[in-house]
Coordinates of all heavy atoms in Angstrom, one line a residue:
M1098 N 58.1 86.1 113.6 CA 59.3 86.7 113.1 C 60.5 86.2 113.9 O 60.5 86.2 115.1 CB 59.2 88.2 113.1 CG 60.5 88.9 112.7 SD 60.5 90.7 112.5 CE 59.7 91.3 113.8
S1099 N 61.5 85.8 113.2 CA 62.7 85.3 113.9 C 63.9 86.2 113.7 O 64.0 86.9 112.7 CB 63.1 83.9 113.3 OG 63.5 84.0 112.0
V1100 N 64.7 86.3 114.7 CA 65.8 87.2 114.7 C 67.0 86.3 114.4 O 67.3 85.3 115.0 CB 66.0 87.9 116.0 CG1 67.3 88.8 116.0 CG2 64.8 88.7 116.4
R1101 N 67.8 86.7 113.4 CA 69.0 86.0 113.0 C 70.2 86.7 113.5 O 70.3 87.9 113.4 CB 69.0 85.8 111.5 CG 67.8 85.0 111.0 CD 68.1 84.7 109.6 NE 69.1 83.7 109.6 CZ 69.1 82.7 108.8 NH1 68.2 82.5 107.9 NH2 70.1 81.8 108.8
A1102 N 71.1 85.9 114.0 CA 72.4 86.4 114.5 C 73.3 86.7 113.2 O 73.2 86.0 112.2 CB 73.1 85.5 115.4
F1103 N 74.2 87.6 113.3 CA 75.1 87.9 112.3 C 76.3 87.0 112.5 O 76.8 86.9 113.6 CB 75.5 89.4 112.4 CG 76.6 89.7 111.4 CD1 76.3 90.0 110.1 CD2 77.9 89.9 111.8 CE1 77.2 90.4 109.2 CE2 78.9 90.2 110.9 CZ 78.5 90.5 109.6
P1104 N 76.9 86.4 111.5 CA 76.5 86.4 110.1 C 75.4 85.3 109.9 O 75.2 84.4 110.7 CB 77.8 86.0 109.4 CG 78.5 85.2 110.4 CD 78.2 85.8 111.7
E1105 N 74.8 85.3 108.8 CA 73.6 84.4 108.5 C 74.1 83.0 108.1 O 73.3 82.1 108.1 CB 72.7 85.0 107.5 CG 72.0 86.2 108.0 CD 71.0 86.8 107.0 OE1 70.8 86.1 106.0 OE2 70.5 87.8 107.2
T1106 N 75.4 82.9 107.7 CA 75.9 81.6 107.3 C 76.5 80.9 108.5 O 76.8 81.5 109.5 CB 76.9 81.7 106.2 OG1 78.0 82.4 106.7 CG2 76.4 82.4 105.0
H1107 N 76.6 79.6 108.4 CA 77.2 78.8 109.5 C 78.7 78.6 109.3 O 79.3 77.9 110.1 CB 76.5 77.4 109.5 CG 75.1 77.5 109.9 ND1 74.6 77.8 111.1 CD2 74.0 77.4 109.1 CE1 73.3 77.9 111.1 NE2 72.9 77.6 109.9
R1108 N 79.2 79.1 108.2 CA 80.7 79.0 107.9 C 81.5 80.1 108.6 O 81.0 81.2 108.7 CB 80.9 79.0 106.4 CG 80.3 77.9 105.7 CD 80.5 78.0 104.2 NE 80.0 79.3 103.8 CZ 80.0 79.8 102.6 NH1 80.6 79.1 101.7 NH2 79.6 81.0 102.4
E1109 N 82.7 79.8 108.9 CA 83.6 80.8 109.5 C 84.0 81.7 108.3 O 84.1 81.2 107.1 CB 84.8 80.2 110.2 CG 84.4 79.5 111.5 CD 85.6 79.0 112.2 OE1 86.8 79.1 111.7 OE2 85.5 78.4 113.3
P1110 N 84.5 82.9 108.5 CA 85.0 83.7 107.4 C 86.2 83.2 106.8 O 87.0 82.6 107.5 CB 85.2 85.1 108.1 CG 85.3 84.8 109.5 CD 84.4 83.6 109.8
R1111 N 86.4 83.4 105.6 CA 87.6 82.8 104.9 C 88.8 83.6 105.2 O 88.7 84.9 105.3 CB 87.4 82.8 103.4 CG 86.3 81.9 103.0 CD 86.2 81.9 101.5 NE 85.0 81.1 101.1 CZ 84.2 81.4 100.0 NH1 84.5 82.4 99.3 NH2 83.2 80.6 99.8
K1112 N 89.9 83.0 105.4 CA 91.1 83.6 105.7 C 91.8 84.3 104.5 O 92.8 84.9 104.6 CB 92.0 82.7 106.4 CG 91.5 82.3 107.8 CD 92.4 81.3 108.4 CE 91.9 80.9 109.8 NZ 90.6 80.2 109.8
R1113 N 91.3 84.1 103.3 CA 91.8 84.6 102.1 C 91.8 86.1 102.1 O 92.7 86.8 101.5 CB 91.0 84.1 100.9 CG 91.6 84.3 99.6 CD 90.9 83.5 98.5 NE 89.4 83.6 98.7 CZ 88.5 83.1 97.9 NH1 89.0 82.4 96.9 NH2 87.3 83.2 98.2
I1114 N 90.9 86.8 102.8 CA 90.8 88.2 102.8 C 92.1 88.8 103.5 O 92.4 90.0 103.3 CB 89.6 88.7 103.5 CG1 89.3 90.2 103.2 CG2 89.6 88.4 105.0 CD1 87.9 90.6 103.6
L1115 N 92.7 88.0 104.3 CA 93.9 88.5 105.0 C 95.1 88.7 104.1 O 96.1 89.4 104.5 CB 94.3 87.6 106.1 CG 93.3 87.4 107.3 CD1 93.7 86.4 108.3 CD2 93.1 88.7 108.0
L1116 N 95.0 88.2 102.9 CA 96.1 88.4 101.9 C 96.0 89.8 101.2 O 97.0 90.2 100.6 CB 96.0 87.3 100.8 CG 96.4 85.9 101.3 CD1 96.2 84.9 100.2 CD2 97.8 85.9 101.8
V1117 N 94.9 90.5 101.3 CA 94.8 91.8 100.6 C 95.8 92.8 101.0 O 96.5 93.3 100.1 CB 93.3 92.3 100.7 CG1 93.2 93.7 100.2 CG2 92.3 91.4 100.1
P1118 N 96.1 93.0 102.2 CA 97.1 94.0 102.6 C 98.5 93.5 102.2 O 99.3 94.3 101.8 CB 97.0 94.1 104.1 CG 95.8 93.5 104.5 CD 95.4 92.6 103.5
V1119 N 98.8 92.2 102.2 CA 100.1 91.7 101.9 C 100.3 92.0 100.4 O 101.4 92.4 99.9 CB 100.2 90.2 102.2 CG1 101.5 89.6 101.7 CG2 100.1 90.0 103.7
V1120 N 99.3 91.7 99.6 CA 99.4 91.9 98.1 C 99.6 93.4 97.8 O 100.4 93.8 97.0 CB 98.1 91.4 97.4 CG1 98.1 91.8 95.9 CG2 98.1 89.9 97.5
L1121 N 98.9 94.3 98.5 CA 99.0 95.7 98.3 C 100.5 96.2 98.6 O 101.1 96.9 97.9 CB 98.1 96.5 99.2 CG 96.6 96.6 98.7 CD1 95.8 97.3 99.7 CD2 96.5 97.3 97.4
I1122 N 101.0 95.7 99.7 CA 102.4 96.0 100.1 C 103.4 95.5 99.1 O 104.3 96.2 98.7 CB 102.7 95.5 101.5 CG1 101.9 96.2 102.6 CG2 104.2 95.6 101.9 CD1 101.9 95.6 104.0
L1123 N 103.2 94.3 98.6 CA 104.2 93.7 97.7 C 104.1 94.4 96.3 O 105.1 94.7 95.7 CB 103.9 92.3 97.5 CG 104.3 91.4 98.7 CD1 103.9 89.9 98.4 CD2 105.7 91.5 99.0
V1124 N 102.9 94.8 95.9 CA 102.7 95.5 94.6 C 103.3 96.9 94.7 O 104.0 97.4 93.8 CB 101.2 95.6 94.2 CG1 101.0 96.6 93.1 CG2 100.8 94.2 93.8
G1125 N 103.1 97.6 95.9 CA 103.7 98.9 96.1 C 105.2 98.8 96.1 O 105.9 99.7 95.5
M1126 N 105.8 97.8 96.8 CA 107.2 97.7 96.8 C 107.8 97.4 95.4 O 108.8 98.0 95.0 CB 107.6 96.6 97.8 CG 107.5 96.9 99.2 SD 107.9 95.6 100.3 CE 109.4 95.0 99.7
L1127 N 107.1 96.6 94.6 CA 107.5 96.4 93.3 C 107.5 97.7 92.4 O 108.5 97.9 91.7 CB 106.6 95.3 92.6 CG 106.9 95.0 91.2 CD1 108.2 94.2 91.1 CD2 105.8 94.2 90.6
L1128 N 106.5 98.4 92.6 CA 106.4 99.7 91.9 C 107.5 100.7 92.3 O 108.1 101.5 91.5 CB 105.0 100.4 92.0 CG 103.9 99.7 91.3 CD1 102.6 100.3 91.6 CD2 104.1 99.7 89.8
V1129 N 107.8 100.7 93.6 CA 108.9 101.5 94.1 C 110.3 101.1 93.5 O 111.1 101.9 93.1 CB 109.0 101.5 95.7 CG1 110.2 102.2 96.2 CG2 107.7 102.3 96.2
Y1130 N 110.5 99.8 93.5 CA 111.7 99.3 93.0 C 111.9 99.5 91.5 O 113.0 99.6 90.9 CB 112.0 97.8 93.3 CG 112.2 97.6 94.8 CD1 111.6 96.6 95.5 CD2 113.2 98.4 95.4 CE1 111.8 96.4 96.8 CE2 113.4 98.2 96.8 CZ 112.8 97.2 97.5 OH 113.0 97.0 98.8
M1131 N 110.7 99.6 90.8 CA 110.8 99.9 89.3 C 110.8 101.4 89.0 O 110.8 101.8 87.8 CB 109.5 99.3 88.7 CG 109.5 97.8 88.7 SD 108.1 96.9 88.0 CE 107.1 98.2 87.2
H1132 N 111.0 102.2 90.0 CA 110.9 103.7 89.8 C 112.0 104.2 88.8 O 111.7 105.1 88.0 CB 111.1 104.4 91.2 CG 111.2 105.9 91.1 ND1 110.2 106.6 90.6 CD2 112.3 106.7 91.4 CE1 110.6 107.9 90.6 NE2 111.9 107.9 91.1
P1133 N 113.2 103.7 88.9 CA 114.2 104.3 87.9 C 113.8 104.1 86.5 O 114.2 104.9 85.6 CB 115.5 103.5 88.3 CG 115.3 103.0 89.6 CD 113.9 102.8 89.8
W1134 N 113.1 103.0 86.2 CA 112.8 102.8 84.8 C 111.4 103.3 84.3 O 111.2 103.7 83.2 CB 112.8 101.3 84.5 CG 114.1 100.7 84.8 CD1 115.3 100.8 84.0 CD2 114.5 99.9 85.9 NE1 116.3 100.1 84.7 CE2 115.8 99.6 85.8 CE3 113.8 99.5 87.1 CZ2 116.5 98.9 86.8 CZ3 114.4 98.7 88.0 CH2 115.8 98.5 87.9
F1135 N 110.4 103.3 85.3 CA 109.0 103.7 84.9 C 108.5 104.9 85.6 O 107.3 105.2 85.4 CB 108.1 102.5 85.1 CG 108.5 101.3 84.2 CD1 108.9 100.1 84.8 CD2 108.3 101.3 82.9 CE1 109.3 99.0 84.0 CE2 108.6 100.2 82.1 CZ 109.1 99.1 82.7
S1136 N 109.2 105.5 86.5 CA 108.8 106.6 87.3 C 107.5 106.3 88.1 O 106.5 107.0 88.0 CB 108.6 107.8 86.5 OG 109.8 108.2 85.9
T1137 N 107.5 105.2 88.8 CA 106.3 104.7 89.6 C 106.5 104.8 91.1 O 105.8 104.1 91.8 CB 105.9 103.3 89.2 OG1 107.1 102.5 89.4 CG2 105.5 103.2 87.7
G1138 N 107.6 105.5 91.5 CA 107.9 105.5 92.9 C 106.8 106.1 93.8 O 106.5 105.5 94.9
F1139 N 106.2 107.2 93.5 CA 105.2 107.8 94.3 C 104.0 106.9 94.5 O 103.5 106.7 95.6 CB 104.9 109.2 93.8 CG 103.8 109.9 94.6 CD1 104.1 110.4 95.8 CD2 102.5 109.9 94.2 CE1 103.2 111.0 96.6 CE2 101.6 110.6 94.9 CZ 101.8 111.1 96.2
I1140 N 103.5 106.5 93.3 CA 102.3 105.6 93.4 C 102.6 104.3 94.1 O 101.7 103.8 94.9 CB 101.7 105.4 92.0 CG1 100.3 104.8 92.1 CG2 102.5 104.5 91.2 CD1 99.3 105.7 92.6
G1141 N 103.8 103.8 94.0 CA 104.2 102.6 94.7 C 104.2 102.8 96.2 O 103.7 102.0 97.0
A1142 N 104.7 104.0 96.6 CA 104.7 104.3 98.0 C 103.3 104.5 98.6 O 103.0 104.0 99.7 CB 105.5 105.6 98.3
V1143 N 102.4 105.1 97.8 CA 101.1 105.3 98.3 C 100.3 103.9 98.4 O 99.6 103.7 99.4 CB 100.3 106.2 97.3 CG1 98.8 106.2 97.5 CG2 100.9 107.6 97.3
I1144 N 100.6 103.1 97.4 CA 99.9 101.7 97.5 C 100.5 100.9 98.7 O 99.7 100.2 99.4 CB 100.1 101.0 96.2 CG1 99.3 101.7 95.1 CG2 99.7 99.5 96.3 CD1 99.5 101.1 93.7
S1145 N 101.8 101.0 98.9 CA 102.3 100.3 100.1 C 101.8 100.8 101.4 O 101.4 100.0 102.3 CB 103.9 100.4 100.1 OG 104.5 99.7 99.0
L1146 N 101.7 102.1 101.5 CA 101.1 102.7 102.7 C 99.6 102.3 102.9 O 99.2 102.1 104.0 CB 101.3 104.2 102.7 CG 102.7 104.7 103.0 CD1 102.8 106.2 102.8 CD2 103.2 104.3 104.3
A1147 N 98.9 102.2 101.8 CA 97.5 101.8 101.8 C 97.4 100.4 102.3 O 96.5 100.0 103.1 CB 96.9 101.9 100.5
G1148 N 98.4 99.5 101.9 CA 98.5 98.2 102.4 C 98.8 98.1 103.9 O 98.1 97.3 104.6
V1149 N 99.6 98.9 104.3 CA 100.0 98.9 105.8 C 98.7 99.4 106.6 O 98.4 98.8 107.6 CB 101.2 99.9 106.0 CG1 101.4 100.1 107.5 CG2 102.4 99.3 105.4
L1150 N 98.0 100.4 106.1 CA 96.9 100.8 106.8 C 95.7 99.8 106.8 O 95.0 99.6 107.7 CB 96.3 102.2 106.3 CG 97.2 103.4 106.6 CD1 96.7 104.6 105.9 CD2 97.3 103.6 108.1
S1151 N 95.6 99.1 105.7 CA 94.5 98.1 105.5 C 94.8 96.9 106.4 O 93.9 96.1 106.6 CB 94.3 97.8 104.1 OG 95.4 97.1 103.6
I1152 N 96.0 96.7 106.8 CA 96.3 95.6 107.7 C 95.4 95.7 109.0 O 94.8 94.8 109.4 CB 97.8 95.5 108.1 CG1 98.6 94.9 106.9 CG2 98.0 94.6 109.3 CD1 100.1 94.9 107.2
F1153 N 95.4 96.9 109.5 CA 94.6 97.2 110.7 C 93.1 97.0 110.4 O 92.4 96.4 111.2 CB 94.9 98.5 111.3 CG 96.4 98.7 111.7 CD1 97.2 99.4 110.9 CD2 96.8 98.0 112.8 CE1 98.6 99.5 111.3 CE2 98.2 98.1 113.2 CZ 99.0 98.9 112.4
L1154 N 92.7 97.6 109.3 CA 91.3 97.6 109.0 C 90.8 96.2 108.7 O 89.7 95.7 109.2 CB 90.9 98.5 107.8 CG 91.2 100.0 108.1 CD1 91.0 100.8 106.8 CD2 90.3 100.5 109.2
V1155 N 91.5 95.4 107.9 CA 91.1 94.1 107.5 C 91.2 93.2 108.8 O 90.3 92.3 109.0 CB 92.0 93.5 106.4 CG1 91.8 92.0 106.2 CG2 91.7 94.3 105.1
G1156 N 92.2 93.4 109.6 CA 92.3 92.6 110.8 C 91.2 92.8 111.7 O 90.6 91.9 112.3
M1157 N 90.7 94.1 111.9 CA 89.6 94.3 112.8 C 88.3 93.7 112.2 O 87.5 93.2 113.0 CB 89.4 95.9 113.0 CG 90.5 96.5 113.9 SD 90.1 98.1 114.3 CE 90.4 99.0 112.8
V1158 N 88.1 93.9 110.9 CA 86.9 93.3 110.3 C 86.9 91.8 110.4 O 85.9 91.2 110.8 CB 86.7 93.8 108.8 CG1 85.7 93.0 108.1 CG2 86.5 95.3 108.8
F1159 N 88.0 91.2 110.2 CA 88.1 89.8 110.2 C 87.9 89.3 111.7 O 87.2 88.3 111.9 CB 89.5 89.2 109.7 CG 89.6 87.7 109.7 CD1 89.1 87.1 108.7 CD2 90.2 87.1 110.8 CE1 89.2 85.7 108.7 CE2 90.3 85.7 110.7 CZ 89.8 85.0 109.7
A1160 N 88.5 90.0 112.6 CA 88.3 89.6 114.0 C 86.8 89.7 114.4 O 86.3 88.9 115.2 CB 89.1 90.5 114.9
D1161 N 86.1 90.8 113.9 CA 84.7 90.9 114.3 C 83.9 89.8 113.6 O 83.0 89.3 114.3 CB 84.3 92.3 113.7 CG 82.8 92.6 114.2 OD1 82.5 92.3 115.3 OD2 82.1 93.1 113.3
L1162 N 84.2 89.5 112.4 CA 83.4 88.4 111.7 C 83.7 87.1 112.4 O 82.8 86.2 112.6 CB 83.8 88.3 110.3 CG 83.3 89.4 109.4 CD1 83.9 89.2 108.0 CD2 81.8 89.4 109.3
W1163 N 84.9 86.8 112.9 CA 85.3 85.6 113.5 C 84.6 85.5 114.8 O 84.0 84.4 115.2 CB 86.8 85.5 113.7 CG 87.3 84.2 114.3 CD1 87.3 83.0 113.7 CD2 87.7 84.1 115.6 NE1 87.8 82.1 114.6 CE2 88.1 82.7 115.8 CE3 88.0 84.9 116.7 CZ2 88.6 82.2 116.9 CZ3 88.5 84.4 117.8 CH2 88.8 83.1 117.9
A1164 N 84.5 86.6 115.6 CA 83.8 86.6 116.9 C 82.3 86.4 116.7 O 81.7 85.6 117.4 CB 84.1 87.8 117.6
A1165 N 81.8 87.0 115.7 CA 80.3 86.8 115.4 C 80.0 85.4 115.0 O 79.0 84.8 115.4 CB 79.9 87.8 114.3
S1166 N 80.9 84.8 114.2 CA 80.7 83.4 113.8 C 80.7 82.5 115.0 O 79.9 81.6 115.1 CB 81.8 83.0 112.8 OG 81.7 81.7 112.5
R1167 N 81.7 82.7 115.9 CA 81.8 81.8 117.1 C 80.6 82.0 118.0 O 80.0 81.1 118.5 CB 83.0 82.1 117.9 CG 84.3 81.9 117.1 CD 85.3 81.2 117.6 NE 85.2 80.8 119.0 CZ 85.9 79.8 119.5 NH1 86.7 79.2 118.8 NH2 85.8 79.4 120.8
R1168 N 80.1 83.3 118.1 CA 78.9 83.6 118.9 C 77.7 82.9 118.3 O 76.9 82.3 119.1 CB 78.7 85.1 119.1 CG 77.7 85.5 120.0 CD 77.6 87.0 120.2 NE 77.8 87.8 119.0 CZ 78.9 88.6 118.8 NH1 79.8 88.7 119.7 NH2 79.0 89.3 117.7
T1169 N 77.6 82.9 117.0 CA 76.4 82.3 116.3 C 76.5 80.8 116.5 O 75.4 80.2 116.8 CB 76.5 82.7 114.8 OG1 76.4 84.1 114.7 CG2 75.3 82.0 114.1
K1170 N 77.6 80.2 116.4 CA 77.7 78.8 116.7 C 77.4 78.4 118.1 O 76.6 77.4 118.3 CB 79.1 78.3 116.4 CG 79.4 78.1 114.9 CD 80.8 77.6 114.7 CE 81.1 77.5 113.2 NZ 82.4 76.8 113.0
D1171 N 77.8 79.2 119.1 CA 77.4 79.0 120.4 C 75.9 79.1 120.7 O 75.3 78.3 121.4 CB 78.1 79.9 121.4 CG 79.6 79.6 121.5 OD1 80.0 78.5 121.0 OD2 80.4 80.5 121.9
I1172 N 75.3 80.1 120.1 CA 73.8 80.3 120.2 C 73.1 79.1 119.5 O 72.1 78.6 120.1 CB 73.4 81.6 119.5 CG1 73.9 82.8 120.3 CG2 71.9 81.7 119.3 CD1 73.7 84.1 119.6
I1173 N 73.6 78.6 118.4 CA 72.9 77.5 117.7 C 73.1 76.2 118.6 O 72.1 75.5 118.8 CB 73.5 77.3 116.3 CG1 73.1 78.4 115.4 CG2 73.1 75.9 115.8 CD1 73.8 78.4 114.1
K1174 N 74.2 76.0 119.2 CA 74.4 74.8 120.0 C 73.5 74.9 121.3 O 72.9 73.9 121.7 CB 75.9 74.7 120.5 CG 76.8 74.2 119.4 CD 78.2 74.1 119.9 CE 79.2 73.7 118.7 NZ 80.5 73.7 119.2
A1175 N 73.4 76.1 121.9 CA 72.6 76.2 123.1 C 71.1 76.0 122.7 O 70.4 75.4 123.4 CB 72.8 77.6 123.7
R1176 N 70.7 76.5 121.5 CA 69.3 76.3 121.1 C 69.0 74.9 120.8 O 67.9 74.4 121.2 CB 69.1 77.2 119.9 CG 67.6 77.2 119.4 CD 67.4 78.1 118.2 NE 67.8 79.4 118.5 CZ 68.2 80.3 117.6 NH1 68.4 79.9 116.4 NH2 68.5 81.5 118.0
Q1177 N 70.0 74.2 120.2 CA 69.8 72.7 120.0 C 69.7 71.9 121.3 O 68.9 71.0 121.4 CB 70.9 72.2 119.0 CG 70.7 72.7 117.6 CD 71.9 72.3 116.8 OE1 72.9 71.8 117.3 NE2 71.8 72.4 115.5
A1178 N 70.6 72.3 122.2 CA 70.5 71.6 123.5 C 69.2 71.8 124.2 O 68.7 70.9 124.9 CB 71.7 72.1 124.4
R1179 N 68.7 73.1 124.2 CA 67.4 73.4 124.8 C 66.3 72.6 124.2 O 65.5 72.1 124.8 CB 67.1 74.9 124.7 CG 67.5 75.7 125.9 CD 66.9 77.0 125.8 NE 67.1 77.5 124.4 CZ 67.6 78.7 124.1 NH1 67.8 79.6 125.1 NH2 67.8 79.1 122.9
S1180 N 66.3 72.5 122.8 CA 65.2 71.8 122.2 C 65.3 70.3 122.4 O 64.2 69.7 122.5 CB 65.2 72.2 120.6 OG 66.4 71.6 120.1
S1181 N 66.5 69.8 122.5 CA 66.6 68.4 122.7 C 66.2 68.0 124.2 O 65.6 67.0 124.4 CB 68.0 67.9 122.4 OG 68.9 68.4 123.3
S1182 N 66.5 68.9 125.1 CA 66.1 68.6 126.5 C 64.6 68.8 126.7 O 64.0 68.2 127.5 CB 66.9 69.5 127.5 OG 66.5 70.9 127.3
A1183 N 64.1 69.8 125.9 CA 62.6 70.0 126.0 C 61.9 68.8 125.4 O 60.8 68.4 126.0 CB 62.2 71.3 125.2
K1184 N 62.4 68.2 124.4 CA 61.8 67.0 123.8 C 61.9 65.8 124.8 O 61.0 65.0 124.9 CB 62.5 66.6 122.5 CG 62.1 67.6 121.4 CD 62.8 67.2 120.1 CE 62.5 68.2 119.0 NZ 63.2 67.9 117.8
A1185 N 63.0 65.7 125.5 CA 63.2 64.6 126.4 C 62.3 64.8 127.6 O 61.9 63.8 128.2 CB 64.7 64.5 126.9
D1186 N 62.0 66.0 128.0 CA 61.2 66.2 129.2 C 59.7 66.0 128.9 O 58.9 65.8 129.8 CB 61.4 67.7 129.7 CG 62.7 67.9 130.4 OD1 63.4 66.8 130.7 OD2 63.2 69.0 130.5
A1187 N 59.3 66.2 127.6 CA 57.9 66.0 127.3 C 57.6 64.6 127.3 O 58.0 63.8 126.5 CB 57.7 66.6 125.9
T1188 N 56.7 64.2 128.2 CA 56.3 62.8 128.3 C 54.9 62.5 127.8 O 54.4 61.4 127.8 CB 56.3 62.3 129.8 OG1 55.5 63.1 130.5 CG2 57.7 62.4 130.3
G1189 N 54.3 63.6 127.3 CA 52.9 63.4 126.7 C 51.8 63.8 127.7 O 50.7 63.9 127.2
Q1190 N 52.1 64.1 128.9 CA 51.0 64.5 129.8 C 51.6 65.7 130.6 O 52.7 65.9 130.8 CB 50.5 63.4 130.7 CG 51.7 62.8 131.6 CD 51.1 61.7 132.4 OE1 49.9 61.5 132.5 NE2 52.0 60.9 133.0
D1191 N 50.6 66.5 131.1 CA 50.9 67.7 131.9 C 51.3 67.3 133.3 O 50.5 66.6 134.0 CB 49.7 68.6 131.9 CG 50.1 70.0 132.4 OD1 51.2 70.2 132.7 OD2 49.1 70.8 132.6
P1192 N 52.5 67.7 133.8 CA 52.9 67.2 135.1 C 52.1 67.9 136.2 O 52.0 67.5 137.4 CB 54.3 67.6 135.2 CG 54.5 68.7 134.2 CD 53.5 68.4 133.1
F1193 N 51.4 69.0 135.9 CA 50.6 69.8 136.9 C 49.1 69.4 136.9 O 48.3 69.9 137.6 CB 50.7 71.3 136.7 CG 52.2 71.7 136.8 CD1 52.9 72.1 135.6 CD2 52.8 71.8 138.0 CE1 54.2 72.6 135.7 CE2 54.1 72.2 138.1 CZ 54.8 72.6 137.0
E1194 N 48.8 68.5 136.0 CA 47.4 68.1 135.9 C 47.1 66.9 136.9 O 47.8 65.9 136.9 CB 47.0 67.7 134.5 CG 45.6 67.4 134.3 CD 45.4 67.0 132.8 OE1 46.0 67.6 131.9 OE2 44.6 66.1 132.6
E1195 N 46.0 67.1 137.7 CA 45.6 66.0 138.6 C 44.4 65.2 138.0 O 43.6 65.8 137.3 CB 45.2 66.6 139.9 CG 46.3 67.2 140.7 CD 45.8 67.6 142.1 OE1 44.7 67.2 142.5 OE2 46.4 68.5 142.7
E1196 N 44.4 64.0 138.3 CA 43.2 63.2 137.9 C 42.3 63.1 139.1 O 42.7 62.4 140.1 CB 43.7 61.8 137.4 CG 44.6 61.9 136.1 CD 44.9 60.6 135.6 OE1 44.2 59.6 136.0 OE2 45.8 60.5 134.8
V1197 N 41.2 63.7 139.0 CA 40.2 63.7 140.1 C 39.1 62.7 139.8 O 38.6 62.7 138.7 CB 39.7 65.1 140.3 CG1 38.7 65.1 141.4 CG2 40.8 66.1 140.6
G1198 N 38.6 62.0 140.8 CA 37.5 61.1 140.7 C 37.8 59.8 140.0 O 36.9 59.0 139.6
R1199 N 39.1 59.5 139.8 CA 39.4 58.3 139.1 C 40.3 57.4 140.1 O 41.2 57.9 140.7 CB 40.3 58.6 137.9 CG 40.0 57.8 136.8 CD 40.7 58.3 135.6 NE 41.0 57.2 134.7 CZ 41.7 57.2 133.7 NH1 42.3 58.3 133.3 NH2 41.9 56.2 132.9
E1200 N 39.9 56.3 140.3 CA 40.6 55.4 141.2 C 41.3 54.3 140.4 O 40.7 53.6 139.6 CB 39.6 54.8 142.2 CG 40.2 54.2 143.4 CD 39.2 53.8 144.4 OE1 38.3 54.6 144.7 OE2 39.3 52.6 144.8
E1201 N 42.6 54.2 140.7 CA 43.4 53.1 139.9 C 43.8 52.1 140.9 O 44.1 52.3 142.0 CB 44.6 53.8 139.3 CG 44.3 54.7 138.2 CD 45.6 55.3 137.6 OE1 46.6 54.6 137.7 OE2 45.5 56.3 136.9
D1202 N 43.6 50.8 140.5 CA 44.0 49.7 141.3 C 45.4 49.2 141.0 O 45.9 49.1 140.0 CB 43.0 48.6 141.2 CG 41.6 49.0 141.7 OD1 41.6 49.7 142.8 OD2 40.6 48.6 141.1

């Protein structure tokens, strides 16, 4: 059984998710400004505040995913370096094995 580091993909998280709070704030502001005609001021304010709060949440999740991605890449590089050095060290014979009773000229 192998243990996989989070995340399972080798790609970094997309930065597109950082646009969600910005879109929420802009939509909320648009609804607040349209209040005199459509009475959407309260829901606009609520959506804008949700966007402001989600800046922190999305930022924390993105930072966590980014750190996990970097940690996974570092683990993969270390594992590849270990396997390549292990292959280079393997010469085909055991270094601790002695040849007894054999005389070479």
